[in-house]
Amino acid sequence: MTSLRIAAGPFKFQARFETDLAPKTCDIFRRLLPYEQRVIHVRWSGEAVWIPLGETNLGMPAENQTSYPAPGQMILYPGGISETEILLAYGGVCFASKVGQLAGNHFITITSPLEDLAKLGKMVLWEGAQPLRIEAV
């Protein structure tokens, strides 16, 4: 199972797990499906939405890490010097927190429709938190 459907606000996206690059992260997250939460805007890191997870410990190692996710890339920061969080880039991002630059595990990539990512980001920025659901296809 590598194909995913992501509903965020009124938008629907097709996506895939990055199982070759982040196998442990994908395996742990797969057990959480269907995953439902709300996304809010990051503003600190740039053009992205995120899910703050506080002290949640998912027990995952660092793998396939990046501080600069491309639009459509979803990363999971497993916690440490900052809180656990999931971030979805829709534009330029330098992943950071009040303690400085962070790197998260790139484990999901949205494949289409990429043109709706910026619309989602702007909606979250100006209208507030939006529901998000990730499920296997």
Side-chain angles (χ1 to χ4, degrees), residues 16 18 48-49 64 66 68-75 87-90 93 105-110 114 117:
R16 69 173 182 268
E18 296 296 343
V49 297
N64 194 35
T66 184
Y68 301 97
Q73 292 183 343
M74 188 172 283
I75 62 175
L87 180 140
L88 171 59
Y90 70 84
V93 174
N105 299 352
H106 169 211
F107 73 110
I108 290 175
T109 300
I110 289 180
L114 295 178
L117 286 170

Side-chain angles (χ1 to χ4, degrees), residues 3-94:
S3 295
L4 300 166
R5 180 175 27 242
I6 299 175
F11 303 101
K12 307 277 190 273
F13 300 98
Q14 299 304 308
R16 69 173 182 268
F17 273 124
E18 296 296 343
T19 53
D20 290 341
L21 302 172
K24 293 177 181 154
T25 304
C26 292
D27 185 51
I28 290 167
F29 195 80
R30 186 178 285 117
R31 291 183 231 146
L32 301 176
L33 296 178
Y35 185 78
E36 294 188 20
Q37 195 47 270
R38 290 171 31 135
V39 292
I40 58 177
H41 204 278
V42 299
R43 290 314 286 166
W44 190 293
S45 296
E47 297 176 318
V49 297
W50 71 303
I51 301 166
L53 299 173
E55 299 299 316
T56 302
N57 182 352
L58 297 172
M60 67 186 54
E63 58 181 3
N64 194 35
Q65 289 199 310
T66 184
S67 294
Y68 301 97
Q73 292 183 343
M74 188 172 283
I75 62 175
L76 196 155
Y77 177 71
I81 61 172
S82 188
E83 70 179 296
T84 302
E85 59 188 276
I86 297 172
L87 180 140
L88 171 59
Y90 70 84
V93 174
C94 177

